[in-house]
Amino acid sequence: MDIVNTFIYDNDIRIKATLLKNSLRELFKAQSMPKDKTSLFSKAALLAATFATEEKDDNGAIYVSIKDPNTQTALTAVCETDGRLRGCVDVYKDSSFSETVLTVGRKLAIRGDYQSSVIGKDIEVAAEEYFKSSRQTKAKIKFFTFEDSDGFIFSEYFPGHNVKFQDENKKPTPEYLSKKLETALETAIEATIKNRSIDILKKVSTTKIIFGCTCSKRRIKQALSQTHDLTFPVEIKCRFCGKNYIIDSL
C-alpha cells in the first residue's frame, strides 16, 4: 500500500515517512518511462506526496519539480491533499543551470499560490537546503528503497513540544540535536518497512497515495477556449495521465 505516515518521536521530533510502489508504476507507465530512467522522477513524486499531506485544504495541491542539468529535463510531480498523485516530464534548454534545481510549489484555494526554489549538487543536498531556507527548520532526510518500493523520510525538530527544553538552559546543543534527528530517522524507517509500532514513536496519521489525475473534458475545453482557428474534432492527450479526449466542439 502506498502511504505517508506522520510520527512524533520523543515528543519533539516530527517525522514523515513515505513509501510508494503502485502509484509510481502507474506514473512511469503514463510517461512511458523505463524503470532504469526513473530515479529523479520517483524522488519528485515522493516529495510531492509527503508535502501534500501537510496541507488541510481539500482544494489544494503540491507540485515538486526537479530540473536535472545532466539530461536537461524537468521532472514534475503533483499531489492533491486527498492523495492523488500524477506527473509529467518536460525538456528545458536553459544552460545556466549547472546543479540540480528543486522547486516546491503550493497551490491553495485559501492562501493562493507560492513556491520556493533551491539548488544543490544533487537532489538530497537541494532537499536539505529547502528545509533550511524555506521551512526554517533543521531536518535530516533520506531516500531509500525497500523491496520493490521507493521511500522518502524526513525528521525535523519542533522546539516546545518537549517540556525538558522549555528552559533556555536546557535547550539541545547542535550535536545532540543532529544525533537525535538521525536516530529518529532510522527508528521511523524501521517502523515503516517492518510495519510495526515502537513505543518512542507515536503515529499521528496515515494518508493513502494513489495515481490519479484531475483532468476532465470540461477543463480541456476551458484550455482550448483560449486557442483560435481550431478545426474540430480535436484529439487531446493529457500530459499527466495519458488519457485521450476527443473534443467535437466548445
Side-chain angles (χ1 to χ4, degrees):
M1 182 174 66
D2 293 8
I3 56 170
V4 180
N5 283 328
T6 302
F7 302 98
I8 298 295
Y9 176 87
D10 194 28
N11 298 319
D12 60 356
I13 302 291
R14 186 179 66 151
I15 299 169
K16 290 274 188 177
T18 303
L19 204 60
L20 303 181
K21 175 183 174 182
N22 296 326
S23 58
L24 288 182
R25 286 181 176 177
E26 293 297 318
L27 194 63
F28 302 152
K29 182 179 178 180
Q31 297 299 319
S32 302
M33 294 186 73
K35 179 63 178 175
D36 61 342
K37 303 292 185 182
T38 59
S39 178
L40 277 179
F41 204 8
S42 66
K43 287 180 172 62
L46 286 162
L47 287 167
T50 303
F51 294 143
T53 61
E54 299 184 1
E55 307 296 346
K56 302 301 183 184
D57 187 344
D58 291 338
N59 295 319
I62 300 296
Y63 69 88
V64 172
S65 179
I66 299 174
K67 285 187 176 180
D68 178 21
N70 296 317
T71 60
Q72 288 199 317
T73 54
L75 309 161
T76 302
V78 183
C79 192
E80 307 295 313
T81 52
D82 61 7
R84 286 177 294 167
L85 177 69
R86 61 193 186 278
C88 64
V89 181
D90 297 303
V91 176
Y92 74 92
K93 297 182 180 180
D94 190 339
S95 59
S96 64
F97 294 119
S98 60
E99 294 188 314
T100 301
V101 179
L102 168 65
T103 301
V104 180
R106 286 168 163 77
K107 295 185 176 182
L108 306 176
I110 296 177
R111 288 182 288 168
D113 300 353
Y114 61 98
Q115 68 178 33
S116 299
S117 293
V118 291
I119 298 176
K121 64 180 181 180
D122 52 41
I123 188 57
E124 284 80 6
V125 173
E128 287 195 346
E129 181 61 27
Y130 169 73
F131 281 97
K132 180 180 178 181
S133 62
S134 302
R135 297 168 64 97
Q136 304 295 308
T137 185
K138 182 175 179 59
K140 292 283 187 177
I141 76 161
K142 188 171 186 178
F143 292 97
F144 65 97
T145 57
F146 173 65
E147 295 180 345
D148 54 354
S149 298
D150 291 336
F152 169 70
I153 193 167
F154 74 81
S155 61
E156 58 182 332
Y157 174 58
F158 275 86
H161 285 271
N162 194 330
V163 294
K164 291 185 298 183
F165 299 136
Q166 291 295 319
D167 188 335
E168 286 290 328
N169 297 323
K170 294 182 179 180
K171 284 189 175 181
T173 63
E175 294 76 15
Y176 170 87
L177 181 55
S178 179
K179 183 177 180 180
K180 186 171 184 178
L181 287 169
E182 186 68 36
T183 301
L185 197 72
E186 296 300 330
T187 303
I189 290 177
E190 180 183 355
T192 299
I193 64 178
K194 293 183 179 179
N195 194 26
R196 68 186 185 89
S197 60
I198 298 176
D199 290 341
I200 200 172
L201 200 63
K202 179 183 178 182
K203 183 183 289 188
V204 177
S205 66
T206 296
T207 301
K208 295 180 180 179
I209 304 297
I210 61 171
F211 175 75
C213 197
T214 58
C215 64
S216 66
K217 181 170 284 190
R218 179 179 61 83
R219 290 190 174 190
I220 296 294
K221 285 186 175 183
Q222 287 178 339
L224 290 178
S225 67
Q226 306 301 316
T227 305
H228 301 287
D229 300 324
L230 288 173
T231 301
F232 295 99
V234 178
E235 183 174 355
I236 303 293
K237 182 179 181 180
C238 177
R239 63 197 293 260
F240 287 102
C241 68
K243 184 177 180 180
N244 284 311
Y245 290 89
I246 304 296
I247 309 298
D248 295 316
S249 67
L250 297 180

